[in-house]
Amino acid sequence: MPARDTVEIGLNRFARRGYDLDEVSIVPSRRTRDVDDVSTAWQIDAFRFDIPLVTSPSDAVVSPATAIAVGQAGGLGVLNAEGLWTRYDDPLPVYRQLCDAAAEASLPVALLQQVYAEPVKPDLITARIKEVRDAGVTTAVRVSPQHTEQLAPAVLAAGVDLLVIQGTIVSAEHVTTQGAALNLKEFIADLDVPVVVGGAANYTTALHLMRTGAAGVVVGVGADSFSTADAVMGIRVPLASAIADAAAARRDYLDETGGRYVHVIANGRIETSGAIARALACGADAVQIGEPLRAAREAPAGGVWWDSVAAHPRLPRGGTSAPVPAAGTLEQVLLGPAETADGRTNLFGALRRTMAKTGYRDLKEFQRVDLVIGGRSD
């Protein structure tokens, strides 16, 4: 018999009903709270952050300088170990080339593929990590699952604080006949640094990734407004349901281990302060965002956006964009003050106000807020 949360889409074929973030709304509680008494801080392993932000490892928004600025603002900037900053000694001419190409229309994917064909240089990985470390902020670097064993030694030798192993879909059990596959559990057990892995799209995958020893699991397939993963691969998972599934896996894993907490980091179409609040209300500990940060004056691509998978050499599945005008500094985008009413600036100041309006003092309490179906799309 099918589960109660499934619907029949044809004779003996069932699909589970899922919900996106814009389909759920937050319900105020019986009390409110002064905004100055609200904390948006969270901690993963030994590293504490003032805001629940993990940046998307996109070169469009993260350079060593912006990773430092995000850290100074209280978040975690994640540099892509397979990005422009580790392929080119001076990537600024490449950025100019990309920005010029996107000046009047979307950035050509073929041009992205061309500039990302330059090999990654391990000595540049070391240099970029050192630059961020020397600024005194937490350092985090992303590697793809297929290049983890090749690039992780350079990343770890450089003294990174957090390692992020992230792809569109990451599993704890990758089956291959083309040689040995990365064994995440064995790999993580041998490391002295905490590891964040993902993305996961359901309860089972999230639970299996938690069992690898990861400190955090990225939930969602990174499907922002520019993602073409649905059109290219047919993969799209409603994020509110994915987060709730992962939160359930976290609870069960907590019981299974007698107290080991794994952080859930939501990643998908989280582009406004309201979406951030709803993702956390569904059970996430932090959010991974990228596209909204392109509106910051410090964004290295000058308002142009592309995701890391948009440059895949064989199957690109992320759209690109023309530049948007700067909406303010990075601090304004993250912490305000906002000068527009569209929810795209003062992202985490708005989160504090949402928590205050619903009466919750910290993020763990806020995860218990009531939700209803029938939210309005952003």
Side-chain angles (χ1 to χ4, degrees), residues 98-369:
L98 296 175
C99 291
D100 289 345
E104 298 180 359
S106 296
L107 181 63
V109 171
L111 178 57
L112 275 178
Q113 292 173 315
Q114 176 185 325
V115 300
Y116 279 92
E118 180 74 14
V120 172
K121 301 173 179 61
D123 60 319
L124 288 179
I125 294 177
T126 301
R128 305 312 184 197
I129 293 174
K130 183 178 185 303
E131 184 177 346
V132 179
R133 283 184 61 85
D134 288 350
V137 301
T138 303
T139 58
V141 171
R142 174 261 181 185
V143 292
S144 62
Q146 59 268 37
H147 295 134
T148 294
E149 292 184 313
Q150 174 190 353
L151 298 178
V155 172
L156 298 169
V160 74
D161 294 316
L162 284 157
L163 179 65
V164 180
I165 302 174
Q166 185 174 3
T168 303
I169 300 292
V170 174
S171 69
E173 183 181 352
H174 179 67
V175 179
T176 180
T177 59
Q178 308 301 314
L182 172 67
N183 186 312
L184 274 175
K185 188 170 186 178
E186 292 180 1
F187 180 81
I188 291 172
D190 290 336
L191 299 183
D192 293 326
V193 301
V195 179
V196 174
V197 298
N202 58 21
Y203 169 94
T204 302
T205 306
L207 181 60
H208 284 188
L209 289 177
M210 291 173 186
R211 287 171 174 165
T212 66
V217 172
V218 178
V219 175
V221 295
D224 60 31
S225 295
F226 295 92
S227 171
T228 59
D230 191 1
V232 174
M233 302 174 69
I235 294 175
R236 183 177 66 85
V237 181
L239 189 55
S241 295
I243 296 169
D245 281 357
R250 178 184 59 204
R251 181 191 62 240
D252 290 347
Y253 182 69
L254 197 67
D255 291 340
E256 178 183 302
T257 59
R260 186 175 185 273
Y261 190 92
V262 179
H263 295 268
V264 171
I265 302 168
N267 176 35
R269 189 171 174 264
I270 304 174
E271 299 169 357
T272 64
S273 52
I276 291 172
R278 290 194 291 272
L280 297 168
C282 287
D285 297 290
V287 293
Q288 184 175 59
I289 60 175
E291 187 272 339
L293 305 183
R294 70 179 174 134
R297 197 167 292 132
E298 299 91 332
V304 179
W305 169 252
W306 68 90
D307 206 333
S308 56
V309 292
H312 193 283
R314 296 177 64 93
L315 192 67
R317 50 196 181 272
T320 63
S321 78
V324 297
T329 64
L330 180 65
E331 183 173 359
Q332 283 179 285
V333 171
L334 297 179
L335 303 173
E339 297 178 354
T340 61
D342 58 2
R344 285 184 165 265
T345 50
N346 199 6
L347 296 172
F348 293 92
L351 171 64
R352 288 173 58 89
R353 195 161 294 274
T354 298
M355 293 169 64
K357 293 293 186 184
T358 53
Y360 296 92
R361 64 182 177 181
D362 59 38
L363 294 175
K364 295 310 299 178
E365 284 191 357
F366 184 61
Q367 289 174 345
R368 300 197 297 267
V369 69

